[in-house]
């Protein structure tokens, strides 16, 4: 008897991508959405359980709700010539209305009640220009933070004393908020670079007639790097302006 079609919506649908370097834990997120009017039980299984940590690996998704599953790949020696054979399976079933023991429900489930979806794993290393860009961004943000700290420490003691603890706290909180905003924008830029990198590889594989498209992708990535550095400098000048404004009062 044929299995019931999967009712959960998976994002991504077919492939979990893990982006290196793989010297530390790399996490991919699998979103499970339940579009039905019934609660759904789910389990996440893998062919390589020692290589991954999955949280949560089972549970119940309420009707019209979603769950984000974190799939954590453990550190390993990456070989670009070795193709990943790891796979994941999301198994699900409609939760009984009178369910009290989820493990018991799985044990008593009939084969025709079970639904499953399979995903393969893909390992990717960042491009060299991505590494360079990210390194420059990190240096820019770090230098901006250091400059703010230097400006604060270089203030005369009498001037520093004129700022009460409440004002100093507000300035530091504003600085922290702006730093978090820079980091968030940098993550968005990183995602855009990854998408551009994929498009660039596709264009390259199509041959020389599309070399102009590759050049446009590279130009776009450079402009994004410049935008991040400009933003970091704006954060620096803003914080220093706030400090000077407080002193002027």
């Amino acid at each position: 008897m044929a299995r019931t079609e999967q009712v959960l919506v998976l994002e991504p649908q077919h492939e979990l991508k893990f982006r290196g370097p793989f010297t530390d834990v790399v996490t991919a997120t699998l979103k499970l959405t339940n579009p039905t009017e019934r609660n759904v039980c789910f389990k996440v299984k893998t062919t390589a359980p020692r290589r991954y940590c999955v949280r949560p690996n089972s549970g119940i998704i309420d009707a019209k709700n979603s769950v984000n599953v974190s799939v954590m790949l453990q550190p390993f020696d990456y070989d670009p010539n070795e193709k990943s054979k790891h796979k994941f399976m999301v198994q699900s079933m409609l939760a009984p209305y009178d369910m009290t023991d989820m493990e018991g429900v799985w044990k008593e489930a009939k084969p025709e009640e079970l639904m499953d979806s399979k995903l393969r794993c893909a390992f990717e290393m960042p491009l060299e220009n991505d590494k360079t860009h990210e390194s420059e961004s990190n240096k820019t943000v770090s230098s901006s933070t250091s400059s703010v700290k230097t400006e604060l420490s270089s203030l005369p003691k009498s001037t520093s004393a004129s700022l009460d603890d409440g004002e100093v706290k507000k300035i530091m909180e504003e600085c922290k908020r702006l730093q978090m905003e820079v980091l968030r924008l940098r993550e968005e830029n990183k995602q855009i670079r990854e998408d551009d990198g994929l498009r660039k590889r596709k264009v390259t594989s199509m041959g020389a007639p599309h070399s102009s498209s590759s050049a446009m992708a590279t130009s776009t990535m450079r402009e994004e790097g410049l935008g991040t550095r400009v933003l970091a400098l704006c954060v620096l000048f803003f914080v220093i302006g706030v400090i000077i404004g407080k002193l002027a009062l």
Side-chain angles (χ1 to χ4, degrees), residues 16-36:
L16 282 174
K17 292 184 179 181
F18 297 88
R19 189 171 175 81
F22 300 102
T23 53
D24 201 355
V25 174
V26 178
T27 302
T29 300
L30 173 62
K31 184 178 181 180
L32 305 178
T33 301
N34 175 14
T36 72

Side-chain angles (χ1 to χ4, degrees), residues 7-9 33-37 63-65:
V7 296
L8 296 179
V9 177
T33 301
N34 175 14
T36 72
E37 301 292 339
K64 305 295 183 180
N65 272 320

Side-chain angles (χ1 to χ4, degrees), residues 180-190 228 231:
M180 293 299 295
E181 182 67 14
V182 171
L183 292 176
R184 183 184 68 79
L185 293 173
R186 193 177 68 192
E187 286 299 321
E188 291 180 359
N189 283 341
K190 181 179 178 182
T228 303
L231 177 60

Side-chain angles (χ1 to χ4, degrees), residues 45-76:
K45 301 179 179 180
T46 178
T47 57
R50 295 185 178 181
R51 298 285 296 275
Y52 299 89
C53 180
V54 182
R55 293 290 182 271
N57 58 7
S58 64
I60 300 175
I61 306 176
D62 294 335
K64 305 295 183 180
N65 272 320
S66 301
V67 168
N68 286 328
V69 177
S70 296
V71 182
M72 292 163 276
L73 173 63
Q74 303 305 303
F76 72 102

Side-chain angles (χ1 to χ4, degrees), residues 93-209:
M93 64 178 293
L94 295 176
Y97 291 107
D98 57 349
M99 186 184 70
T100 56
D101 178 18
M102 189 165 63
E103 280 302 319
V105 169
W106 284 108
K107 290 178 181 179
E108 297 171 5
K110 298 176 182 179
E112 60 269 20
E113 296 176 335
L114 299 177
M115 300 166 280
D116 59 62
S117 299
K118 295 180 180 179
L119 300 95
R120 59 183 177 271
C121 297
F123 302 150
E124 295 179 348
M125 287 296 288
L127 299 174
E128 287 301 322
N129 51 2
D130 286 351
K131 292 180 181 178
T132 302
H133 175 81
E134 188 167 347
S135 176
E136 289 178 354
S137 298
N138 289 335
K139 288 180 180 178
T140 303
V141 173
S142 298
S143 62
S144 299
T145 305
S146 300
S147 298
V148 171
K149 291 180 178 179
T150 301
E151 290 290 335
L152 288 174
S153 61
S154 63
L155 289 173
K157 291 185 178 180
S158 58
T159 305
S160 300
S162 65
L163 292 174
D164 59 31
D165 293 340
E167 291 176 334
V168 172
K169 186 177 180 181
K170 286 180 182 179
I171 292 173
M172 294 309 295
E173 286 178 351
E174 182 67 15
C175 181
K176 184 176 180 181
R177 185 186 69 79
L178 292 172
Q179 289 178 16
M180 293 299 295
E181 182 67 14
V182 171
L183 292 176
R184 183 184 68 79
L185 293 173
R186 193 177 68 192
E187 286 299 321
E188 291 180 359
N189 283 341
K190 181 179 178 182
Q191 185 62 45
I192 293 173
R193 291 199 307 276
E194 291 177 1
D195 295 340
D196 286 341
L198 289 175
R199 286 197 295 270
K200 183 179 177 182
R201 286 195 289 273
K202 289 180 181 178
V203 171
T204 302
S205 64
M206 291 173 66

